[in-house]
Amino acid sequence: MDRDALAGFLVSRRNRLQPSDVGLVTGTRRRTAGLRREEVAQLAAMSTDYYTRLEQQRGPQPSTQMLAALARALRLTPDERDYMYRVAGHSAPDRIVGSDYIAPGLLRVLDRLAGTPALILSALGETLVQNDSARALFGDVSHLTGFERSAIYRWFTQPDEERRRYPEHDRDRQSRAQVASLRAAYGVMGSGSRAGEMVRELSRRSAEFAALWDTHLVSRRFEDHKTLIHPELGPIEVDCQALFTEDETQVLLVLTAAPRTDAAGKIELLNVLGTQQLDSPER
């Protein structure tokens, strides 16, 4: 671990960012040239003391999980991310297999979509980050780990929970689309990757998945129109637009409703109430 190089790099990347670059509000009395240390720590979900010690060359070797969080918080490019991993004493993550790294360009767009449900997904359907509006619509999935982070995996292993958000008549189409998306990722990542592991696990656990996998469906959806069923607000018709990174390993999914419709009103209500239960006795 090169403590001096890591510290200097973190300081330089922090100083080049402004609060508005990462979705934070800029205060009126601000002396810091870039982000404050506490703001980086907040974005990376770590303590300010821990981050400060890294910049002061006296912290412990950060884990790969901590480095992934810092790469996301500091909006690092893939080359910058790889450099940070190496000076911290770790091998750079495999860009093809994927990791918790999130493309800065997608994050910048996400930061500007307040009030519009939006989330960034990996090629395996893993939710990497979701805004408040998406959490209100889909629920918070940030606590999930392993394959359960993938909506594709949950669709076939937890059907009672996952499929209740879709009308019954649309569930077969969604099943085919989930398998076709995983097949596309499998083609890029290979049988020895996490995609291959997921295919083998799903084939073992779900006869429905195994049958659909044998049909060799392959596709990535760039747009879709569908109805989502919110547990309190009921059906919400949305248009889905997908913005992929150049290598198609990550996608920003944005969900909108037609103006002045019942669905648009429901999304506005979700934004006001957030993730709290609409039928809470406290209201």
Side-chain angles (χ1 to χ4, degrees):
M1 175 179 174
D2 188 334
R3 296 179 184 275
D4 179 66
L6 177 62
F9 179 74
L10 292 176
V11 171
S12 69
R13 298 305 87 182
R14 174 169 64 84
N15 287 338
R16 95 180 157 178
L17 292 172
Q18 294 298 315
S20 59
D21 296 333
V22 295
L24 297 177
V25 177
T26 303
T28 55
R29 300 177 61 183
R30 189 177 186 89
R31 295 188 297 271
T32 306
L35 293 180
R36 299 187 177 102
R37 286 172 175 167
E38 58 266 29
E39 289 171 334
V40 175
Q42 173 191 339
L43 292 167
M46 61 181 61
S47 72
T48 301
D49 177 67
Y50 180 90
Y51 178 76
T52 299
R53 284 187 287 142
L54 289 179
E55 284 199 358
Q56 294 177 345
Q57 305 179 38
R58 58 188 181 88
Q61 182 185 31
S63 67
T64 55
Q65 290 81 7
M66 285 292 192
L67 293 173
L70 285 171
R72 182 167 59 249
L74 294 170
R75 303 302 197 259
L76 302 185
T77 67
D79 289 339
E80 290 171 336
R81 185 274 312 266
D82 292 353
Y83 172 80
M84 181 180 67
Y85 269 70
R86 292 183 178 116
V87 297
H90 295 281
S91 298
D94 191 321
R95 298 191 190 187
I96 298 297
V97 173
S99 66
D100 286 337
Y101 173 77
I102 302 175
L106 295 188
L107 278 171
R108 285 193 292 271
V109 178
L110 181 70
D111 289 338
R112 288 157 175 76
L113 291 174
T116 301
L119 56 161
I120 297 175
L121 305 171
S122 73
L124 298 182
E126 299 159 310
T127 299
L128 302 177
V129 64
Q130 54 187 161
N131 64 11
D132 290 339
S133 190
R135 276 189 287 271
L137 182 59
F138 292 107
D140 189 351
V141 298
S142 60
H143 63 285
L144 298 177
T145 59
F147 284 148
E148 289 193 354
R149 294 178 64 195
S150 168
I152 301 172
Y153 185 82
R154 297 194 307 271
W155 182 266
F156 292 100
T157 60
Q158 302 173 27
D160 291 343
E161 177 68 19
E162 284 297 303
R163 302 188 188 193
R164 62 186 176 87
R165 294 191 181 274
Y166 288 82
E168 188 171 355
H169 66 80
D170 194 37
R171 293 173 186 173
D172 287 344
R173 181 177 73 94
Q174 293 298 326
S175 293
R176 293 192 297 272
Q178 300 282 21
V179 172
S181 179
L182 180 55
R183 173 72 73 173
Y186 179 89
V188 173
M189 300 169 69
S191 62
S193 67
R194 288 188 70 244
E197 293 175 13
M198 184 181 292
V199 169
R200 289 187 286 275
E201 181 67 9
L202 285 174
S203 296
R204 183 183 68 83
R205 296 191 56 177
S206 170
E208 178 192 8
F209 173 86
L212 287 171
W213 186 254
D214 285 342
T215 64
H216 292 268
L217 295 168
V218 186
S219 73
R220 287 193 184 279
R221 290 179 293 177
F222 286 83
E223 59 181 326
D224 191 15
H225 178 85
K226 60 186 175 182
T227 298
L228 296 171
I229 301 176
H230 189 271
E232 280 79 34
L233 296 181
I236 305 177
E237 283 192 53
V238 294
D239 291 306
C240 306
Q241 297 293 331
L243 175 63
F244 285 89
T245 54
E246 185 176 358
D247 59 8
E248 296 193 1
T249 59
Q250 295 181 1
V251 59
L252 171 64
L253 186 64
V254 183
L255 298 95
T256 60
R260 297 177 297 280
T261 61
D262 178 66
K266 289 180 178 179
I267 289 178
E268 289 180 6
L269 182 57
L270 280 176
N271 290 327
V272 172
L273 299 178
T275 56
Q276 60 186 309
Q277 294 296 311
L278 300 184
D279 55 358
S280 170
E282 295 181 1
R283 284 202 306 280

